Amino acid sequence: MDTCPECGAAGEVPCEELFGRLLALDHSRQAPWGPLHGVAVACYRLQHPASLTEGSHTFLLELLRAYVGGGAEAATRLTEHARRANSHRVLRRDRTDDTPDPRAPTGFAFTVAEVAADGTFPAEGHPERVRSWSEATLAAWRG
C-alpha cells in the first residue's frame, strides 16, 4: 500500500490512475459522474497542489464553495460563466508565475481514493462521496 505525498491517500492504486478512471466516467456525460466533472477536477487539483500555480486555486475554491452552498446547478452556472469568459475574444493578462502555490495544504480527510470506493467509482452514493470530498477539500484550505 502506497501513500500519496500530496493528498495523503493510502491505497493500492495511485491517485493519478484513479483520477484517470474518474475522468473517463465524467467524459461520458452520464449521471452521476458527468454533472460533477468540474467539482471533481477542482477537488483533485486542490488536493494535488503540484498542478497549481500561485493564485490558480482561487477559482477552484470558488467552484467548491458554489457546489457545497448551492449544489451541482450552482457549480454548473459558475463553470459555464468561466467557459464563456475563457475565449479568444476576452482580453486577459498573461500569467508569468509558474511557482506552486505555497499556501496549499497537505493531507486531507477525504480523497479521490474514498470517492473511488472499490476503485470503480460506483454510481450508488457517488454524489454523496463527491460532496464529502468537496467539504474536506474546503476545510483543509481554510486551515
Side-chain angles (χ1 to χ4, degrees):
M1 187 169 296
D2 292 324
T3 300
C4 177
E6 291 191 84
C7 73
E12 300 294 324
V13 181
C15 290
E16 186 175 3
E17 185 176 330
L18 288 174
F19 188 58
R21 292 177 189 176
L22 179 56
L23 287 179
L25 291 166
D26 285 357
H27 289 297
S28 73
R29 296 186 181 205
Q30 294 180 23
W33 309 280
L36 298 173
H37 171 73
V39 173
V41 169
C43 286
Y44 185 82
R45 289 198 60 217
L46 288 165
Q47 288 192 359
H48 295 83
S51 70
L52 299 175
T53 57
E54 187 173 347
S56 66
H57 66 288
T58 305
F59 176 75
L60 301 174
L61 289 169
E62 183 181 353
L63 176 61
L64 292 187
R65 282 191 216 81
Y67 172 67
V68 168
E73 298 80 21
T76 299
R77 281 192 304 273
L78 186 61
T79 55
E80 288 299 320
H81 176 72
R83 186 174 295 123
R84 284 189 302 275
N86 188 21
S87 165
H88 67 280
R89 290 175 250 151
V90 176
L91 183 60
R92 287 183 305 279
R93 192 174 56 144
D94 288 336
R95 290 194 59 92
T96 58
D97 186 0
D98 289 333
T99 307
D101 195 305
R103 297 167 289 196
T106 57
F108 296 86
F110 203 93
T111 68
V112 68
E114 284 80 27
V115 179
D118 62 0
T120 67
F121 298 91
E124 186 175 333
H126 183 72
E128 293 80 10
R129 291 189 305 275
V130 170
R131 177 166 289 282
S132 295
W133 193 19
S134 300
E135 290 169 348
T137 303
L138 284 172
W141 273 84
R142 278 192 287 267

